[in-house]
């Protein structure tokens, strides 16, 4: 082998030896991709696509990934371990939400419009903020809030005619995710017994690992001991 060829081989070996490994997208300290901590949790991140009340991806959702504070991700993985013993799985719809996406939601609502039978059947679009269905600020921007449901591993069902999220393989909760209506209140009285039992099951499972429920949305939970209780973040949701 010629000296030139030997040199080329040595250079190639050195480049291979010292090349940096491929890394996940850089996140702020204290944050993690859920799939790195709870890989068996199903993800159905609706604001990364068009199957949501906006009808398009929300600002800042550059990937269909659940990002949470590391503490929240670990706690959610513990919830998954609990419900798995019952033949169930968590299905997450939204996790960390950039502040720019919150502003996007508010701007969409203020643009106005009539009721929508799928998302807000009894409230006009320009009243959603005033009535508290869309917040000018959101706990999601702090990174320890998650929107989710339970699904049966063995017998998935589709709530295609439900207010809110459709075509979700979840248990019956009496309404779908993002149904902006009083029926979505966690303790709403006028829902079937099975749906009420499923809501109770979800609340208890989440509470057992440190999450508290938002009473107006059965799907909305925040880690009680959240690490960034007073900080709003606005980094984009990037591919892992």
């Amino acid at each position: 082998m010629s000296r030139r060829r030997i040199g080329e081989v040595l250079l190639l070996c050195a480049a291979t030896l010292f090349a940096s490994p491929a890394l996940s997208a850089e996140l702020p300290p204290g944050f993690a991709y859920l799939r790195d901590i709870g890989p068996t949790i199903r993800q159905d991140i609706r604001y990364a696509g068009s199957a949501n009340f906006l009808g398009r991806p929300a600002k800042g959702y550059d990937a269909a990934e659940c990002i949470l504070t590391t503490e929240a991700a670990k706690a959610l993985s513990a919830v998954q371990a609990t419900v798995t013993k019952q033949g169930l799985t968590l299905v997450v719809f939204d996790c960390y939400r950039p502040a720019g996406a919150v502003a996007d939601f508010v701007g969409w609502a203020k643009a106005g419009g009539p009721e929508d039978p799928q998302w807000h059947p009894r409230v006009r679009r320009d009243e959603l903020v005033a009535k508290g269905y869309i917040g000018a600020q959101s706990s999601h921007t702090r990174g320890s809030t998650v929107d989710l449901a339970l699904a049966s591993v063995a017998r998935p069902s589709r709530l295609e005619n439900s207010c809110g999220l459709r075509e979700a393989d979840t248990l019956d909760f009496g309404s779908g995710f993002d149904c902006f209506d009083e029926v979505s209140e966690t303790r709403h009285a006028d829902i079937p017994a099975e749906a009420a039992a499923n809501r109770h099951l979800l609340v208890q499972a989440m509470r057992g690992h440190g999450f508290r429920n938002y009473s107006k949305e059965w799907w909305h939970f925040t880690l009680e001991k959240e690490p960034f209780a007073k900080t709003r973040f606005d980094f984009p949701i990037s591919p892992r």
Side-chain angles (χ1 to χ4, degrees), residues 34 59 62 100 119 185 195 199 211 215 230 234:
L34 177 62
K59 292 182 179 178
D62 300 333
W119 302 107
E185 296 172 1
R199 291 185 184 190
F211 288 92
S215 63
K230 297 182 179 180
D234 195 29

Side-chain angles (χ1 to χ4, degrees), residues 131-152:
K131 291 185 178 295
Y133 291 111
I134 291 179
Q137 294 188 15
S138 172
S139 60
H140 282 275
T141 62
R142 305 196 297 264
S144 294
T145 292
V146 60
D147 295 332
L148 77 174
L150 288 167
S152 171

Side-chain angles (χ1 to χ4, degrees), residues 6 14 27 55 59 66-67 83 114-115 117 119-120 138 146 161 168 176 184 187-189 194 203 205 207 228:
I6 292 173
L27 298 177
K59 292 182 179 178
C66 172
I67 295 172
V83 302
E115 296 83 356
W119 302 107
H120 44 100
S138 172
V146 60
N161 297 318
S184 295
R187 294 179 178 272
H188 189 71
E194 180 182 356
V203 169
R207 181 182 296 164
F228 303 112

Side-chain angles (χ1 to χ4, degrees), residues 18 33 66 74 76-77 90 96 99 150-151 163 200 207 222-223 227:
F18 293 105
Y33 285 93
C66 172
K74 289 180 177 178
L76 203 62
S77 181
L90 296 174
Y96 157 73
L150 288 167
C163 167
H200 179 73
R207 181 182 296 164
T222 300
L223 188 68

Side-chain angles (χ1 to χ4, degrees), residues 54-87:
L54 296 171
R56 57 169 173 77
K59 292 182 179 178
Y61 283 76
D62 300 333
E65 289 286 351
C66 172
I67 295 172
L68 290 168
T69 61
T70 304
E71 288 89 340
K74 289 180 177 178
L76 203 62
S77 181
V79 177
Q80 176 76 345
T82 296
V83 302
T84 297
K85 296 175 183 177
Q86 304 171 60

Side-chain angles (χ1 to χ4, degrees), residues 23-160:
L23 300 175
S24 297
E26 189 128 354
L27 298 177
F31 282 81
Y33 285 93
L34 177 62
R35 69 177 68 253
D36 289 333
I37 295 176
T40 65
I41 298 173
R42 293 184 189 172
Q43 296 192 31
D44 188 2
I45 309 301
R46 287 296 168 134
Y47 300 140
S50 59
N52 57 61
F53 64 88
L54 296 171
R56 57 169 173 77
K59 292 182 179 178
Y61 283 76
D62 300 333
E65 289 286 351
C66 172
I67 295 172
L68 290 168
T69 61
T70 304
E71 288 89 340
K74 289 180 177 178
L76 203 62
S77 181
V79 177
Q80 176 76 345
T82 296
V83 302
T84 297
K85 296 175 183 177
Q86 304 171 60
L88 302 171
T89 181
L90 296 174
V91 182
V92 295
F93 303 125
D94 194 33
C95 301
Y96 157 73
R97 183 184 305 164
V102 176
D104 190 14
F105 290 3
V106 173
W108 171 87
K110 290 184 176 180
E115 296 83 356
D116 183 319
Q118 180 175 355
W119 302 107
H120 44 100
R122 292 185 282 190
V123 182
R124 288 181 53 82
R125 178 167 153 182
D126 51 9
E127 295 178 334
L128 290 171
V129 175
K131 291 185 178 295
Y133 291 111
I134 291 179
Q137 294 188 15
S138 172
S139 60
H140 282 275
T141 62
R142 305 196 297 264
S144 294
T145 292
V146 60
D147 295 332
L148 77 174
L150 288 167
S152 171
V153 174
R155 299 184 304 278
S157 60
R158 291 185 177 274
L159 305 179
E160 297 182 359

